[in-house]
Amino acid sequence: MCRKIILLFTILIISIAANAQSDTLSVTLENVKYPYPVSFLPIKVEGQDVRMAYMDIKPANANGKAVILFHGKNFGGYYWTNVIRALSEKGYRVIVPDQIGFGKSSKAFIHYSFHLLARFNKNLLDTLGIKKVTILGHSMGGMLATRFTLMYPERVEKLLLEDPIGLEDYRTFVPYQSAEDDYKAELKTSYESVKKYYQTSYFTSWKPEYDYLVKIGAGVNKSADFPRYAKVAALTFEMIYEQPVCYEFSLIKVPTVLFIGKEDKTIVGKALLSDEEKAKHGQYKILGPETAKKNPGCKLIEFDNCGHIPHIEVPEKFLKALINNI
């Protein structure tokens, strides 16, 4: 009888441990399945050996062109599945990196800059033998895509921006916080706080199929390495705050398409603002047209009843617009 009790207790402990393990994500998302095989590019930076994760999807019927997808700050390559599939079906080779500090890539303690990340992506394209690409950048990826295009215009066929952040200079109205302040805030991350932020900033209405984004976004907070993850998140917040690109849109010389969810109200540092300040900023239905006017070669495509992530919230409309304008 005693042995049976011990056995049952052991099974229970193993079961609890297994469930805890499945709910807890590593800070490099080893236990998150990506839609396509993941490879790694070794990089040496600031005396550190790091790895940049990426997917390289080659189409069955290639058209000879390539597209690179730059993810947002709170995401990784995993949320591009439907976009990859749509582009691949049209013959495009699709490259999907996780930027250093994000997704399955190394969480390095370095000075993060869009210039540096752009160089890493150029190195990736060089390694893969890709001379020219179309870039699709979402959210923070839009800031990076803009910087990449400004640095390497000869490598870019077309610039596609999906609800990019940085359409306004956050330094002019968001109170300054040091990386240490941001780190302390990041340490408080929970499933509830992530879901609330996604609900209020990213989508016009919540659907159960969006829950996986929260599970990945918040699932690392129980990892033993979460303090490293939180520190890197603070450093990349600092990068976004201190390195605006909104003053340089007029300098872009390649064809550009700006995809905007008209109900997007994303503000980097939103929690630091009063309700009055929140109402003044992050209004993409205003920021989109204003930004498009800065660049004569920019085409504006807007989506009604859509927030920050059109390729997830209105996928059919977004994919149709993407394919028609790539």
Side-chain angles (χ1 to χ4, degrees):
M1 184 66 176
C2 183
R3 288 181 178 177
K4 287 183 178 179
I5 293 174
I6 292 174
L7 179 60
L8 288 172
F9 181 74
T10 302
I11 292 172
L12 177 62
I13 293 296
I14 292 173
S15 176
I16 292 172
N19 287 333
Q21 180 63 29
S22 66
D23 289 341
T24 301
L25 302 182
S26 74
V27 297
T28 47
L29 304 187
E30 276 93 349
N31 37 355
V32 173
K33 183 173 175 56
Y34 274 36
Y36 298 91
V38 176
S39 301
F40 293 90
L41 176 71
I43 296 173
K44 186 94 170 180
V45 56
E46 296 182 17
Q48 301 175 55
D49 293 310
V50 300
R51 302 195 309 167
M52 183 177 180
Y54 67 95
M55 293 179 282
D56 180 4
I57 302 94
K58 297 174 182 176
N61 299 301
N63 64 13
K65 296 184 178 183
V67 183
I68 191 167
L69 310 181
F70 290 167
H71 61 76
K73 184 180 189 300
N74 293 318
F75 307 99
Y78 55 82
Y79 81 151
W80 285 120
T81 304
N82 62 339
V83 176
I84 297 170
R85 186 181 302 117
L87 291 171
S88 187
E89 288 175 354
K90 292 297 180 179
Y92 292 93
R93 181 178 180 180
V94 187
I95 313 303
V96 189
D98 279 352
Q99 304 304 328
I100 295 296
F102 301 87
K104 290 182 178 288
S105 293
S106 300
K107 305 300 177 291
F109 290 159
I110 59 174
H111 172 66
Y112 283 89
S113 76
F114 288 118
H115 292 79
L116 184 64
L117 296 185
R119 178 183 289 180
F120 291 159
N121 284 277
K122 177 183 177 293
N123 292 346
L124 174 61
L125 294 175
D126 290 344
T127 300
L128 297 176
I130 298 173
K131 301 299 182 184
K132 296 201 77 166
V133 291
T134 289
I135 305 178
L136 170 58
H138 170 247
S139 194
M140 180 199 76
M143 293 185 77
L144 175 57
T146 301
R147 180 57 59 204
F148 185 101
T149 302
L150 290 166
M151 290 175 67
Y152 310 110
E154 73 284 354
R155 303 296 293 268
V156 181
E157 289 196 18
K158 204 166 198 177
L159 173 62
L160 310 175
L161 301 173
E162 179 190 359
D163 284 76
I165 57 173
L167 299 183
E168 52 194 333
D169 186 347
Y170 303 117
R171 300 172 305 172
T172 62
F173 59 91
V174 175
Y176 171 75
Q177 285 207 133
S178 68
E180 188 63 25
D181 294 329
D182 294 328
Y183 171 59
K184 292 175 182 176
E186 291 287 349
L187 285 175
K188 298 176 183 177
T189 298
S190 66
Y191 182 91
E192 291 74 23
S193 68
V194 171
K195 186 167 185 176
K196 181 180 179 181
Y197 181 74
Y198 286 13
Q199 285 177 319
T200 57
S201 291
Y202 288 169
F203 297 96
T204 57
S205 61
W206 192 259
K207 296 179 181 178
E209 54 261 40
Y210 304 154
D211 283 337
Y212 84 98
L213 297 171
V214 181
K215 289 178 181 177
I216 296 175
V220 297
N221 73 332
K222 296 178 183 177
S223 166
D225 291 327
F226 179 64
R228 169 176 282 271
Y229 182 95
K231 184 68 172 181
V232 170
L235 294 172
T236 54
F237 179 95
E238 190 175 47
M239 172 180 71
I240 293 167
Y241 183 86
E242 294 183 349
Q243 301 172 31
V245 295
C246 57
Y247 303 111
E248 298 171 85
F249 285 126
S250 62
L251 303 177
I252 295 171
K253 303 303 181 185
V254 305
T256 302
V257 182
L258 185 59
F259 301 95
I260 293 292
K262 292 173 71 175
E263 299 306 315
D264 191 355
K265 296 178 175 62
T266 301
I267 304 171
V268 176
K270 193 173 189 176
L272 302 173
L273 299 179
S274 66
D275 290 341
E276 183 181 0
E277 283 293 315
K278 289 175 186 176
K280 293 180 188 176
H281 302 283
Q283 302 294 322
Y284 275 63
K285 60 186 176 184
I286 298 172
L287 291 169
E290 287 181 348
T291 300
K293 289 177 183 176
K294 295 178 181 178
N295 184 345
C298 181
K299 180 178 181 179
L300 175 65
I301 298 175
E302 298 175 296
F303 302 100
D304 293 323
N305 303 313
C306 179
H308 190 58
I309 320 177
H311 78 262
I312 291 179
E313 189 166 13
V314 289
E316 292 182 2
K317 292 179 180 178
F318 177 82
L319 294 175
K320 182 179 179 180
L322 174 65
I323 297 302
N324 288 339
N325 289 278
I326 194 168

